[in-house]
Amino acid sequence: MYAVHQGTYVVKLIGEIRVPICSTLDAFIERMFTDRRLSSVLIDLSETSVIDSTALGLLAKIAVRTRKQFQQKPLIISTQDDVTRILDTMGFEKVFNIVYERPVRSPELTEIPKVPCDENSAFDKVLEAHRVLMDMNDNNRETFKDVVAALESRAAEPVTSEASRHQDSTTKLHRIN
């Protein structure tokens, strides 16, 4: 869900945030950063129950682009202990301002338009997201170096039959996530 108020984009992620929504979230991020009204970003994770590393990488992408474009950190609201623990482990406090309380009120939200996430798109988003996470800090670099190496190796493989490629990619994506 999202809302825009006086140049501030509010992005609220609800429930389990995993690879299948990666194309939707990434397309939204790209559109958001082309909006001339954009001045800041608030990410509300107060109703997020699970968030995987690909989604975290896309959030990190928001931090990188916000810092580059506005020389400021975006804001994250995180009230779920498990989610907050993951943010802390990944070093998000260095690239986001994090608030640990629910907002007093939320703006009226609109559903982010869904974008289909096919296998190739998911693969590309998983690789990009993990590269962004690796660039955040040394701990993440160590944590995700093998994942990124495996994904890069897979990306460099010659194209095989569609059925074989589908089976291989599906197996690798399930192993990673």
Side-chain angles (χ1 to χ4, degrees):
M1 305 290 285
Y2 80 100
V4 181
H5 179 69
Q6 297 178 347
T8 297
Y9 269 72
V10 176
V11 180
K12 184 169 186 142
L13 302 178
I14 301 169
E16 293 188 8
I17 311 303
R18 299 181 187 261
V19 170
I21 70 149
C22 63
S23 291
T24 296
L25 186 55
D26 194 49
F28 179 79
I29 291 166
E30 293 301 322
R31 276 194 313 276
M32 179 174 69
F33 279 97
T34 62
D35 185 346
R36 292 176 185 248
R37 299 172 300 163
L38 175 65
S39 60
S40 62
V41 180
L42 182 153
I43 301 164
D44 184 349
L45 302 178
S46 63
E47 293 183 40
T48 302
S49 57
V50 174
I51 188 162
D52 72 11
S53 57
T54 301
L56 289 168
L58 292 172
L59 295 184
K61 180 178 177 179
I62 292 172
V64 168
R65 294 198 54 187
T66 301
R67 179 169 293 197
K68 184 176 182 179
Q69 193 165 335
F70 303 110
Q71 294 72 51
Q72 65 182 11
K73 294 179 182 180
L75 179 68
I76 285 184
I77 297 171
S78 182
T79 60
Q80 304 297 324
D81 290 340
D82 290 344
V83 173
T84 299
R85 196 171 9 268
I86 292 169
L87 297 177
D88 290 344
T89 301
M90 294 289 112
F92 269 52
E93 74 285 347
K94 292 187 184 287
V95 295
F96 285 94
N97 291 315
I98 302 176
V99 174
Y100 303 100
E101 300 173 6
R102 287 187 181 271
V104 175
R105 63 178 191 180
S106 286
E108 189 168 324
L109 300 167
T110 303
E111 189 169 339
I112 294 173
K114 289 191 179 6
V115 174
C117 186
D118 64 27
E119 178 186 330
N120 290 330
S121 175
F123 183 86
D124 292 343
K125 299 306 175 206
V126 169
L127 179 56
E128 176 191 13
H130 286 83
R131 283 178 175 158
V132 172
L133 285 173
M134 277 183 62
D135 288 344
M136 284 179 53
N137 60 53
D138 290 337
N139 186 46
N140 288 359
R141 185 173 327 286
E142 186 62 30
T143 300
F144 295 112
K145 71 180 181 183
D146 292 337
V147 172
V148 170
L151 292 168
E152 288 173 340
S153 172
R154 162 44 176 93
E157 290 175 2
V159 176
T160 57
S161 74
E162 191 63 32
S164 173
R165 200 170 67 223
H166 173 75
Q167 177 64 29
D168 189 43
S169 294
T170 302
T171 302
K172 286 183 180 182
L173 280 174
H174 286 297
R175 235 182 284 142
I176 291 165
N177 289 310

